[in-house]
Amino acid sequence: MSTPEQLRYSKEHEWLSAVEDGVATVGITEYAANALGDVVFVQLPEAGATVSAGETCGELESTKSVSDLYSPVTGEVTEVNQTVVDDPALVNSAPYEAGWLFRVRLDPAAGEPADLLSAAEYTDFTSE
């Protein structure tokens, strides 16, 4: 299982890319995708919606269960990955590439939450 070093991770199993021009990309980890099983439906927040760190902003439905999607940061959704909405299996086959979920412009007042984990910390967290 891969855990890319350049990403930050939430304890709810979402990942966050580096912030570029105030915008970061969000997805779910390979660990979460494997635990969910085959993802068959993705509900994402709409572009323009405000999301809050730690709050539910969508859901993922798999052949095993339905799981809430949590935003790892606070900000405004700038883009959703329509390709994943049309082909949810990308969440399983390419969780860190084509399977990303949405992009968010971080609220400068909120910043990045202090509880996001490094790759090593997330690996330790998921091996407990």
Side-chain angles (χ1 to χ4, degrees), residues 50-118:
T50 300
V51 293
S52 298
E55 299 292 319
T56 303
C57 64
E59 69 180 28
L60 303 168
E61 183 178 331
S62 73
T63 54
K64 291 182 182 179
S65 66
V66 175
S67 180
D68 286 333
L69 173 65
Y70 297 90
S71 179
V73 292
T74 298
E76 179 183 345
V77 176
T78 61
E79 181 182 1
V80 297
N81 187 350
Q82 188 60 45
T83 304
V84 164
V85 173
D86 296 339
D87 184 8
L90 287 171
V91 170
N92 297 103
S93 63
Y96 301 113
E97 296 90 23
W100 63 273
L101 300 176
F102 63 94
R103 293 196 169 107
V104 60
R105 181 171 306 284
L106 274 62
D107 179 342
E112 186 178 299
D115 62 349
L116 291 179
L117 307 172
S118 68

